[in-house]
Amino acid sequence: MLDTSPLTAAVERFADRLRAAPQSRLRQGAAAAGLELARELAARARRLEGLPPREMPDAGIFVVGDQVAVAGRDLAEALRSVREPDSAKAPSGMLDEAVRLVERAEVRATR
C-alpha cells in the first residue's frame, strides 16, 4: 500500500494555515487559492475512483481550510486504493504531483 503521509501532512499544514488565517488574508486570495486546490484534489480523487468530477461548491472563505483537508484526505485514500492505474502515471508519481500542487497553493496563498 502506498504511503500517502507526505500528502496528508502537506494538506493538513495548509488547511491549518487557512483555518488560522485572518479574514483579510483569506479575502486577499488565500481562500481562492485553497478552493482552487480543493477542487483539483477532489477531481483527481474522483477520477481515480472512476467517477466523473463534480465541482466542489464555494462554501465561503471560513470553511475553505476544511474543504482542503477533506479533498486531500479523499485523494490520499483514493491513491492508497489504486490497484492498477488507468493512466501511464504510477500512483507514486500522482502522489508526488499532488504534494507539489499543495505546496504551490500554500505559497500562492501566503505571499
Side-chain angles (χ1 to χ4, degrees):
M1 185 183 322
L2 182 65
D3 176 17
T4 59
S5 61
L7 176 60
T8 54
V11 162
E12 285 302 320
R13 181 183 61 244
F14 184 34
D16 286 344
R17 289 187 80 176
L18 288 168
R19 290 178 188 126
Q23 182 175 356
S24 60
R25 169 66 72 184
L26 293 170
R27 289 197 188 283
Q28 291 171 357
L35 180 59
E36 180 183 339
L37 174 67
R39 286 176 171 167
E40 179 60 28
L41 297 177
R44 288 173 184 234
R46 288 187 59 85
R47 279 194 298 274
L48 281 172
E49 294 166 345
L51 300 169
R54 286 190 290 191
E55 186 167 301
M56 182 175 286
D58 183 346
I61 64 172
F62 297 114
V63 298
V64 73
D66 293 332
Q67 288 178 299
V68 167
V70 168
R73 281 189 228 116
D74 286 351
L75 180 55
E77 183 58 35
L79 285 167
R80 281 192 299 271
S81 300
V82 171
R83 297 289 181 247
E84 293 183 32
D86 292 335
S87 71
K89 203 177 273 190
S92 61
M94 290 185 255
L95 172 68
D96 293 341
E97 188 176 300
V99 170
R100 284 191 301 274
L101 278 175
V102 174
E103 290 169 345
R104 284 194 300 263
E106 186 172 8
V107 167
R108 278 194 323 273
T110 57
R111 61 181 160 140

